[in-house]
Amino acid sequence: MSQPLIITVALTGAEVTLEQCPHLPITPEQIGQAAAEACRAGASIIHLHVRTPEGQPTQDPEVFRQAIAAIRARCEAIVQISTGGAVGADTQERLQPVYLKPEMASLTTGSVNFGDEIFANPWPLVLEFARTMQQVGVKPELEIFDAGMMANALRLRDKGLISEPLHFDLVLGVPGGMPATVRNLAFLVESLPPGCTWSAAGIGRMQTTIAAAAMAMGGHVRVGFEDNIYYRRGELAQSNAQLVARVARIAAELDRPVATPAEARRILSLKGAQA
Ligand code: KMH
Ligand code: ZN
């Protein structure tokens, strides 16, 4: 039997709108319900962004606190808050939810064009975010949108600002980042340091292709509305859980049992929630 598959679900993101995706969870209660449904379908990590009641992205720690409570009331999934926020978000606001001491937080290790905009992560910001996560005891998921970010992640490791075992998410297909091809995925996987864990996320129509390739290569997978709102060409997905369930079905065929949250914690060397 192969290593269990950790499925991360990125429920909401910061850029997708309700107009584009009518089933997008917005309120903490909707996020809690979507998380529970995705968890039943096989997800064990919730990559968490939150929104104002009007649907705008926010890094308000009080909204994160409510969403985390709504998730924990319904399922055992690992909560991974976003420090990326929305393109253009204020640096200190992006960092705020880390102080809630979730089990994990995303950490992008460099800047990248993001459609018409720039997802700005200058090196001093990366250092500050990594240092803060280490001080607070939050495990980073190293978000790699482009090859240079891998080198930066290894610089953080060499400075002792991130602790092994490292966990990476290889995000392929953001316009401006590395295109979502199996060749690019293989290149990034070959660049990973020994002993780490990793997942892959394909943006848009490449979500399932990248997921299947990652599963076949022994990695883990991220899906969800943040990265892709379609089930297939021209057909919107009805829920995040629908996207998770498809990955779980492919995993079964590949002899990759879907990890429970407890198994995911063991694989990622997490001790459980601090607060
Ligand atoms: N919203 C993107 C600009 C993260 O969560 O850390 C960045 C993002 C990455 O979503
Ligand atoms: Zn995100």
Side-chain angles (χ1 to χ4, degrees):
M1 187 70 89
S2 313
Q3 149 135 273
L5 175 75
I6 299 172
I7 304 176
T8 298
V9 63
L11 293 173
T12 304
E15 278 77 28
V16 176
T17 65
L18 261 179
E19 287 69 35
Q20 295 166 327
C21 179
H23 304 291
L24 193 70
I26 298 291
T27 66
E29 284 302 295
Q30 288 170 350
I31 287 172
Q33 285 162 9
E37 203 189 337
C39 206
R40 284 194 293 276
S44 50
I45 301 179
I46 311 297
H47 173 75
L48 183 64
H49 289 253
V50 294
R51 305 283 184 126
T52 65
E54 296 74 37
Q56 296 304 312
T58 176
Q59 289 294 107
D60 182 344
E62 174 55 22
V63 185
F64 271 98
R65 192 192 61 70
Q66 291 172 15
I68 292 169
I71 294 167
R72 286 196 185 148
R74 293 175 172 89
C75 67
E76 301 290 322
I78 297 161
V79 174
Q80 176 194 100
I81 62 95
S82 168
T83 66
V87 163
D90 175 80
T91 302
Q92 290 311 314
E93 285 179 12
R94 283 172 53 184
L95 197 50
Q96 284 301 308
V98 171
Y99 296 105
L100 297 172
K101 300 186 178 178
E103 285 183 84
M104 297 183 80
S106 60
L107 173 59
T108 302
T109 54
S111 301
V112 64
N113 282 349
F114 213 92
D116 292 343
E117 302 180 275
I118 180 164
F119 179 30
N121 296 289
W123 187 236
L125 176 153
V126 177
L127 292 175
E128 181 185 0
F129 280 24
R131 200 171 278 126
T132 303
M133 288 181 203
Q134 195 171 55
Q135 283 164 355
V136 176
V138 172
K139 178 164 178 147
E141 175 176 271
L142 301 158
E143 308 284 343
I144 307 297
F145 292 77
D146 215 343
M149 295 188 194
M150 182 69 76
N152 283 347
L154 300 182
R155 285 170 71 197
L156 288 178
R157 178 201 59 184
D158 295 345
K159 284 176 168 293
L161 289 175
I162 50 177
S163 311
E164 293 179 310
L166 306 181
H167 181 64
F168 291 81
D169 185 37
L170 312 174
V171 187
L172 296 172
V174 166
M178 279 179 90
T181 64
V182 174
R183 187 165 175 236
N184 283 342
L185 178 64
F187 169 74
L188 288 179
V189 171
E190 281 170 14
S191 312
L192 289 165
C196 72
T197 52
W198 63 276
S199 67
I203 303 300
R205 66 188 175 82
M206 292 306 282
Q207 184 163 79
T208 310
T209 304
I210 293 296
M215 282 188 263
M217 295 165 80
H220 304 284
V221 167
R222 172 173 127 171
V223 292
F225 284 161
E226 176 168 345
D227 302 334
N228 165 47
I229 61 175
Y230 288 96
Y231 189 73
R232 58 173 69 87
R233 189 179 171 85
E235 182 185 324
L236 286 171
Q238 296 297 305
S239 66
N240 281 285
Q242 188 187 21
L243 298 169
V244 172
R246 171 161 58 188
V247 168
R249 286 196 301 276
I250 299 169
E253 293 294 336
L254 293 173
D255 200 20
R256 292 285 308 272
V258 168
T260 63
E263 285 169 332
R265 287 187 173 90
R266 179 181 53 74
I267 293 166
L268 298 172
S269 304
L270 290 170
K271 296 186 189 73
Q274 308 177 66

Short mmCIF file of all heavy atoms in Angstrom, two decimals, residues 14-15 47 49 82 84-85 87 106 108 114 119 226, ligand 1:
data_model
loop_
_atom_site.label_atom_id
_atom_site.label_comp_id
_atom_site.label_asym_id
_atom_site.label_seq_id
_atom_site.Cartn_x
_atom_site.Cartn_y
_atom_site.Cartn_z
N ALA A 14 -8.76 34.47 -2.55
CA ALA A 14 -8.96 35.90 -2.37
C ALA A 14 -9.37 36.59 -3.66
O ALA A 14 -9.85 37.72 -3.64
CB ALA A 14 -7.67 36.55 -1.86
N GLU A 15 -9.20 35.91 -4.77
CA GLU A 15 -9.41 36.58 -6.05
C GLU A 15 -10.72 36.18 -6.74
O GLU A 15 -11.31 36.97 -7.48
CB GLU A 15 -8.22 36.30 -6.99
CG GLU A 15 -7.03 37.22 -6.76
CD GLU A 15 -6.18 36.84 -5.55
OE1 GLU A 15 -6.17 35.64 -5.19
OE2 GLU A 15 -5.56 37.72 -4.95
N HIS A 47 -6.90 25.06 3.44
CA HIS A 47 -6.13 26.29 3.17
C HIS A 47 -7.14 27.44 3.25
O HIS A 47 -8.08 27.51 2.45
CB HIS A 47 -5.46 26.22 1.80
CG HIS A 47 -4.81 27.49 1.40
ND1 HIS A 47 -3.63 27.93 1.94
CD2 HIS A 47 -5.20 28.47 0.51
CE1 HIS A 47 -3.29 29.10 1.40
NE2 HIS A 47 -4.24 29.45 0.53
N HIS A 49 -8.60 31.25 3.43
CA HIS A 49 -8.75 32.69 3.27
C HIS A 49 -10.13 33.05 3.81
O HIS A 49 -11.02 32.20 3.84
CB HIS A 49 -8.73 33.09 1.79
CG HIS A 49 -7.40 32.97 1.11
ND1 HIS A 49 -6.63 34.05 0.76
CD2 HIS A 49 -6.72 31.88 0.69
CE1 HIS A 49 -5.53 33.65 0.15
NE2 HIS A 49 -5.55 32.32 0.10
N SER A 82 -3.89 31.55 5.33
CA SER A 82 -3.10 32.19 4.26
C SER A 82 -2.42 33.43 4.81
O SER A 82 -3.06 34.26 5.45
CB SER A 82 -4.02 32.61 3.11
OG SER A 82 -3.31 33.46 2.23
N GLY A 84 -0.75 34.94 2.34
CA GLY A 84 -0.65 35.61 1.04
C GLY A 84 -1.71 36.67 0.91
O GLY A 84 -1.48 37.74 0.35
N GLY A 85 -2.91 36.35 1.47
CA GLY A 85 -4.02 37.29 1.35
C GLY A 85 -4.34 37.56 -0.11
O GLY A 85 -4.17 36.68 -0.96
N VAL A 87 -3.78 39.90 -3.60
CA VAL A 87 -2.75 40.70 -4.25
C VAL A 87 -2.86 42.15 -3.75
O VAL A 87 -3.96 42.70 -3.70
CB VAL A 87 -2.94 40.65 -5.79
CG1 VAL A 87 -2.18 41.77 -6.47
CG2 VAL A 87 -2.51 39.30 -6.33
N SER A 106 0.50 29.48 5.16
CA SER A 106 1.21 29.51 3.89
C SER A 106 2.32 30.55 3.95
O SER A 106 2.20 31.57 4.63
CB SER A 106 0.24 29.84 2.75
OG SER A 106 -0.36 31.10 2.97
N THR A 108 4.83 32.20 1.00
CA THR A 108 5.38 32.30 -0.36
C THR A 108 6.76 32.93 -0.28
O THR A 108 6.94 33.95 0.38
CB THR A 108 4.44 33.13 -1.26
OG1 THR A 108 3.15 32.51 -1.26
CG2 THR A 108 4.95 33.20 -2.68
N PHE A 114 1.06 38.15 -11.15
CA PHE A 114 -0.18 37.41 -10.84
C PHE A 114 -1.25 38.00 -11.73
O PHE A 114 -1.92 38.96 -11.36
CB PHE A 114 -0.49 37.62 -9.34
CG PHE A 114 -1.16 36.47 -8.66
CD1 PHE A 114 -0.41 35.50 -8.00
CD2 PHE A 114 -2.54 36.35 -8.65
CE1 PHE A 114 -1.01 34.43 -7.36
CE2 PHE A 114 -3.16 35.29 -8.01
CZ PHE A 114 -2.39 34.33 -7.35
N PHE A 119 2.16 39.72 -7.06
CA PHE A 119 2.07 39.17 -5.71
C PHE A 119 3.44 39.41 -5.09
O PHE A 119 4.40 38.70 -5.37
CB PHE A 119 1.70 37.68 -5.79
CG PHE A 119 1.59 36.98 -4.46
CD1 PHE A 119 1.19 37.65 -3.31
CD2 PHE A 119 1.87 35.62 -4.38
CE1 PHE A 119 1.08 36.98 -2.09
CE2 PHE A 119 1.76 34.95 -3.17
CZ PHE A 119 1.38 35.64 -2.03
N GLU A 226 -10.26 28.17 -4.90
CA GLU A 226 -9.20 29.19 -5.01
C GLU A 226 -8.42 29.01 -6.31
O GLU A 226 -7.98 29.99 -6.92
CB GLU A 226 -8.24 29.10 -3.81
CG GLU A 226 -7.07 30.06 -3.92
CD GLU A 226 -6.26 30.22 -2.65
OE1 GLU A 226 -6.75 29.81 -1.57
OE2 GLU A 226 -5.15 30.75 -2.72
N1 KMH B 1 -4.11 35.29 -3.29
C1 KMH B 1 -2.81 35.14 -3.84
C2 KMH B 1 -2.28 36.46 -4.29
C3 KMH B 1 -1.39 32.18 -0.14
O1 KMH B 1 -2.51 31.89 0.23
O2 KMH B 1 -0.45 32.20 0.63
C4 KMH B 1 -1.84 34.53 -2.91
C5 KMH B 1 -2.22 33.31 -2.21
C6 KMH B 1 -1.10 32.57 -1.56
O3 KMH B 1 -3.36 32.91 -2.14
#
